[in-house]
Amino acid sequence: MSIFKKVKNTINLLKSVDMDQLAKINEKIDLADAMKSLGSLDERQLAGLMKMLKSKGKKGQHDLPPIDGDFYNLDLKLTEKQREIQLKVRNFMEDEIRPLVNEYWKKDQFPFEVIEKFKDLNIVGVPYEGYGCPNLPFLMEGIVAQEIARVDVSISTFFGVHSGLAMGSIYLCGSEEQKQEWLPQMQKMEKIGAFGLTEPNVGSGVAGGLETTCKFDGENWVLNGQKKWIGNATFADVTIIWARDLDSNQVKGFLVRKENPGFKTEKIRDKMALRIVQNAIITLKDCKIPESDRLQNANSFKDTANVLRMTRAGVAWQAVGCARGAYESALKYTKKREQFGRPIASFQLIQNHLVEMLSNLTAMQTLCFRLSEMQDLGLLTDEHASLAKVYCSMRMRDVVSRAREVLGGNGILLEYDVARFVADAEAIYSYEGTKEINSLIVGRAITGYSAFVS
């Protein structure tokens, strides 16, 4: 380096130095010795020193790793297009849904304004082919369910009922004419669907004990009975109603339009979970449905079961999303919350809870990822879906419980989101087959013996 350049660099250096601050430092340390020591450091050591000096956080809060529940980087298994969709859904949920969910959850109301915003995502009917649907792998249906539930389980349930159960029933069991009439409109969310299977007196026993009946009178099918816990039913344009044929004793499916005479909905109130979901009790009294609105390929409960098998994987993914949302909310809180002059994230017992949560979450994610891969390969069976539902709903419960614990008293406040995840987890634990029923499905598969009550 030329003498001129050295002088120039020295002048520029002196301009940038606070001489008063330099004098204060010189009072505490020998600057000459310090400069000599600095000069002996290699590039890696200098970089480490500068990183430490630049850190302005409090003790335990500098250079913190990002908050990310995907510890095994399963996102890397997605294609570029799939990852783009995942991030698009995540950003939508963070920007449009997170700011309003607690208020609507508290009021027990549905934010109808989000339906219009959902349309732009083009994620309805993810795995279906034709009718304007994306025709993507079932894996992406799971990823979408996880991303929505990661912010709010209620919105995920609304979406799953519409896109999965309602559209899935038409896609698997409807005639071509029925598919053409409903699926394109439902894909665009111009028409919203609901799914009516569970009844006031019949939950787990729907396979052989439906009390809602149907009978053909020569001109129409006449439906009588009640359904309970039917999400979206208070405002859906069409509700898939499953009923037992009095003549054949077989289960049949019907497209019941909201304007059908004899079809009445009553909102279920005072729920502790999924308060944004508008669940209803449906009463069918001599509700007449034309043959053209009977699902033409739904002729027994086996056809109903095909729909449930297809969508049960999505519920397992919902459990993953719920657990991930609770874990990430808790982790974020522990990094900010201080006790005894330190962030509680630096405490051993808190870290133990966080690691237990992450272990459960990672196991759930990897199980569901493989489950969806099997579904895309055509290998999915009832027992595969049931095992995922059993395991993920149980582990989700443990994750949200620990999340609430690390938040202490703040864990029961909506403000921190964890309380909502704790409450909503109870609904996921019960719907789409209880732990007991799904366990018996798996048990039957691995032992060869059915333990169901006959």
Side-chain angles (χ1 to χ4, degrees), residues 319-452:
V320 173
C322 178
R324 183 170 180 175
Y327 164 74
E328 291 180 348
S329 296
L331 178 57
K332 179 181 178 181
Y333 178 87
T334 62
K335 291 184 177 185
K336 293 182 177 180
R337 174 70 168 176
E338 291 192 359
Q339 290 290 285
F340 309 106
R342 292 191 300 164
I344 64 173
S346 67
F347 297 161
Q348 291 181 358
L349 293 178
I350 295 296
Q351 289 190 6
N352 180 66
H353 280 307
L354 292 170
V355 172
E356 290 280 358
M357 294 161 67
L358 183 59
S359 299
N360 283 327
L361 175 57
T362 303
M364 293 163 64
Q365 288 171 324
T366 51
L367 186 154
C368 282
F369 212 99
R370 178 54 184 163
L371 180 74
S372 291
E373 287 180 337
M374 293 178 71
Q375 192 169 9
D376 285 317
L377 291 170
L379 301 176
L380 183 73
T381 64
D382 286 336
E383 51 265 30
H384 293 142
S386 290
L387 181 64
K389 172 58 168 62
V390 167
Y391 182 79
C392 290
S393 59
M394 288 194 300
R395 294 305 96 209
M396 166 197 64
R397 255 182 162 187
D398 188 77
V399 171
V400 300
S401 175
R402 289 179 184 274
R404 179 260 177 273
E405 188 162 345
V406 300
L407 263 70
N410 286 330
I412 66 173
L413 294 175
L414 274 178
E415 175 187 354
Y416 297 95
D417 295 329
V418 168
R420 177 164 44 81
F421 287 119
V422 171
D424 289 345
E426 290 304 302
I428 294 179
Y429 186 74
S430 295
Y431 66 41
E432 282 273 5
T434 62
K435 171 191 176 293
E436 290 76 16
I437 290 298
N438 279 305
S439 294
L440 293 181
I441 292 173
V442 179
R444 181 178 59 192
I446 62 178
T447 67
Y449 294 99
S450 175
F452 286 94

Side-chain angles (χ1 to χ4, degrees), residues 53 59 83 104 246 281 291 367 380:
L53 291 173
K59 184 177 181 181
R83 178 64 170 159
Y104 278 90
L246 287 173
I281 292 176
E291 170 65 14
L367 186 154
L380 183 73

Side-chain angles (χ1 to χ4, degrees), residues 210 212-214 223 227 241-245 250-252 254:
L210 280 184
T212 299
T213 62
C214 60
L223 275 59
K227 298 294 182 180
I241 294 292
W242 301 94
R244 180 173 52 86
D245 187 348
Q250 294 293 331
V251 173
K252 289 181 166 57
F254 298 88

